[in-house]
Structure formats: C-alpha cells, structure tokens
Amino acid sequence: MDAAELPAQPSDPHARAAAPTEAGLTEREREILAFERQWWKYPGLKEQAIHELFGVSPTRYYQLVNRLIDKREALEADPMLVKRLRRLRSGRQRARSAPRLGR
C-alpha cells in the first residue's frame, strides 16, 4: 500500500480523537471508511495494514467496521461504500446460516 494514499496516522493509534466531527463520525471512524474505500487497490495483506494503521487486531477492526456500517451517519457520509459493506456482510451471514448438503 502507498502510505500517502492511506489515512493519516498519529504516532499513538489509541490517541485518535473520539469527539464526533461535523458529520457525526469520529476521526477514527472516518479513517476506517477511507481505508475500506481504498485498501483493495494496493498489494499486500489487509490484516497487516489494519495492524499498522489502526493498532488493533483484524478481529477487533472488523467488529468496529460492523458497528460503524450500522450507523446512520456512516451511511450519510459514504452511502455507496456502506451499502456495499452491508451487502457483503449480509452475504457472509447467509452463507453461514445456509443448510449444509452432504452431511
């Protein structure tokens, strides 16, 4: 990934502002949306980039993403991205709950 294309990262990943911005999202939430919008364009492992940029495990990151895409403010900030992420999540949920053949 090209670091110039990714969201700015403070020296302490846990020091990100928690106060909502004018759109109702925190700075970290806006960074997550920006990362999800562009991570696939670049070579490398997404999990490694998650750890480097956000200082959390991939599991924790995906928990944050799932909570974020349920927010009305996220949908207003980037409707196409949030709808795509919701569709992907829905498809994964359907796949997990589908009956297994051949058991």
Side-chain angles (χ1 to χ4, degrees), residues 17-18 20 29 34 38-39 41 45 50-52 66 68 75-76 78 88 91 100:
E29 290 171 332
Q38 65 188 5
W39 76 266
K41 295 179 184 178
L45 295 174
I50 288 169
H51 183 70
E52 290 173 7
N66 281 315
L68 176 59
L75 183 61
E76 291 171 358
D78 196 335
L88 291 170
R100 305 272 190 247

Side-chain angles (χ1 to χ4, degrees), residues 1-10 16 27-28 30-54 61:
M1 273 188 198
D2 184 1
E5 308 258 344
L6 293 172
Q9 174 184 357
R16 289 182 176 82
E27 183 65 29
R28 186 173 194 173
R30 291 181 333 125
E31 290 173 357
I32 289 172
L33 288 176
F35 179 73
E36 283 298 319
R37 193 177 308 116
Q38 65 188 5
W39 76 266
W40 54 271
K41 295 179 184 178
Y42 305 97
L45 295 174
K46 184 176 183 181
E47 289 76 16
Q48 181 180 353
I50 288 169
H51 183 70
E52 290 173 7
L53 291 171
F54 299 104
Y61 173 80

Side-chain angles (χ1 to χ4, degrees), residues 22-25 33 37 68-83 86:
E22 66 281 348
L25 298 174
L33 288 176
R37 193 177 308 116
L68 176 59
I69 64 175
D70 287 333
K71 287 187 170 188
R72 177 185 49 82
E73 295 87 356
L75 183 61
E76 291 171 358
D78 196 335
M80 288 179 64
L81 173 66
V82 171
K83 287 177 183 179
R86 286 178 178 178

Side-chain angles (χ1 to χ4, degrees), residues 1 12 21 36 48-49 53 63-65 68 85 89 100:
M1 273 188 198
D12 179 7
T21 60
E36 283 298 319
Q48 181 180 353
L53 291 171
Q63 290 170 344
L64 294 170
V65 169
L68 176 59
L85 293 173
R89 177 179 66 183
R100 305 272 190 247

